[in-house]
Amino acid sequence: MTTRVLDGFNLDLPPTHAQIMALARQHRSNLEDAIFHENIHLGNFCLAQRKRVYDFTRELNPEQRFEFYKAYNGELERIADEDQLHPADAEGGVSVFAIAIVLAIIALILYFGVIRNMVG
């Protein structure tokens, strides 16, 4: 069995489920540590980390790659922190009622401020 080193982990080819879980937890820990460093750009850090994972998975066949990403992404989602300031249900957008109210207010302002003075 062949092994590869990815971010300090020795991973078998194909990696075991436990190895994938450990790698995902390590990547999450690395991200948490990077948040508090002033000299690390998080976007570049995350892209580099995902690029290393991508390069590793190119050595797997498509079925193994699918299983790897299913386990890796599932573990990252499982250990993700819930963002209390931006809950998932807040992504619904603005209601139609709120848009209608804003448009009505704009129409009233235009009518009383501009159009009535021009006509009268």
Side-chain angles (χ1 to χ4, degrees):
M1 183 175 288
T2 311
T3 61
R4 296 284 187 261
V5 177
L6 177 63
D7 291 342
F9 278 95
N10 290 324
L11 298 172
D12 298 330
L13 282 178
T16 64
H17 190 72
Q19 290 173 332
I20 297 170
M21 297 296 113
L23 179 66
R25 283 187 222 108
Q26 181 61 40
H27 281 174
R28 171 61 188 212
S29 176
N30 292 348
L31 177 61
E32 289 175 356
D33 293 341
I35 289 172
F36 299 106
H37 284 270
E38 292 179 14
N39 300 329
I40 294 177
H41 184 273
L42 287 179
N44 292 339
F45 178 82
C46 292
L47 285 174
Q49 186 168 277
R50 289 299 273 197
K51 175 70 168 113
R52 289 189 302 272
V53 169
Y54 173 83
D55 291 341
F56 170 76
T57 60
R58 295 305 100 191
E59 299 179 34
L60 304 173
N61 68 41
E63 184 178 306
Q64 293 169 337
R65 190 178 308 142
F66 175 77
E67 291 301 321
F68 177 90
Y69 277 119
K70 182 178 170 187
Y72 180 80
N73 291 334
E75 180 66 8
L76 288 177
E77 288 176 8
R78 189 188 68 74
I79 61 177
D81 296 332
E82 184 66 31
D83 188 359
Q84 299 299 326
L85 298 176
H86 303 95
D89 59 345
E91 298 292 327
V94 181
S95 72
V96 174
F97 179 73
I99 293 173
I101 294 293
V102 169
L103 289 176
I105 291 171
I106 291 171
L108 287 172
I109 291 171
L110 285 175
Y111 176 74
F112 286 111
V114 178
I115 297 173
R116 207 169 95 185
N117 290 335
M118 288 175 47
V119 173

